[in-house]
Amino acid sequence: MSTTTSVNWQWRLACRTGDIPAEGGACVLLDGQQIAIFYFARRNEWFATQNRCPHRGQMALSRGMTGSAGENCEPKVACPFHKKTFSLVTGECLSGDDYQIQTYPVRVKGDKVYIGISA
C-alpha cells in the first residue's frame, strides 16, 4: 500500500540531485531501509519507493528500467530481474499481479533530495 497520502512525514536528506542519474534510479539507505530514488529529467519529476521487489525479494528496483504507462503516461519501473512493473505514483503492480510496493514523497531543495519517512 502506498503511504504518500500520510501527513506525518519526517524529511530525511537522502542524497544530492547529481547522485541520481537522469531518466534512471539509484538506491540510498535511510533509517535502515533501502530506498530507490528515480529522476525523470524530461518531466523534472522525482519518485521514491522501496528498493525490494516484492515478487522475489531482491533489492533491485533502483536498477530497473523506467518509463511511463497508459494514457496518462504514469511513471513506472520494471524489476530488472523479473520484469514486474510498478507505478511510481501508487506503488501498484501494473503487470496484473497482486503485488504492491511502498512509495515515499520526495522534496528537492537546491541540490538536495529529501525523502519523507512515516513518523
Side-chain angles (χ1 to χ4, degrees):
M1 178 174 86
S2 172
T3 62
T4 56
T5 58
S6 176
V7 294
N8 295 322
W9 298 113
Q10 292 182 353
W11 293 95
R12 302 274 199 258
L13 176 61
C15 60
R16 296 194 178 275
T17 54
D19 296 332
I20 309 299
E23 312 307 339
C27 181
V28 299
L29 187 63
L30 288 178
D31 294 347
Q33 301 176 65
Q34 287 190 27
I35 296 178
I37 302 174
F38 302 94
Y39 177 45
F40 283 61
R42 287 180 292 232
R43 298 162 64 150
N44 194 31
E45 292 180 324
W46 292 83
F47 301 93
T49 71
Q50 67 187 50
N51 193 40
R52 181 183 168 278
C53 176
H55 176 238
R56 294 280 172 106
Q58 292 172 301
M59 297 293 191
L61 290 180
S62 63
R63 297 187 316 245
M65 182 176 288
T66 58
S68 56
E71 293 179 17
N72 296 330
C73 296
E74 183 171 1
K76 67 178 184 173
V77 63
C79 175
F81 295 112
H82 314 108
K83 308 305 182 236
K84 301 290 182 196
T85 305
F86 301 93
S87 164
L88 293 173
V89 176
T90 66
E92 77 175 290
C93 183
L94 302 174
S95 304
D97 296 297
D98 192 27
Y99 296 112
Q100 182 88 17
I101 60 171
Q102 178 78 39
T103 61
Y104 302 90
V106 180
R107 286 185 181 165
V108 176
K109 292 184 179 182
D111 70 341
K112 295 181 177 130
V113 179
Y114 296 86
I115 304 298
I117 303 295
S118 182

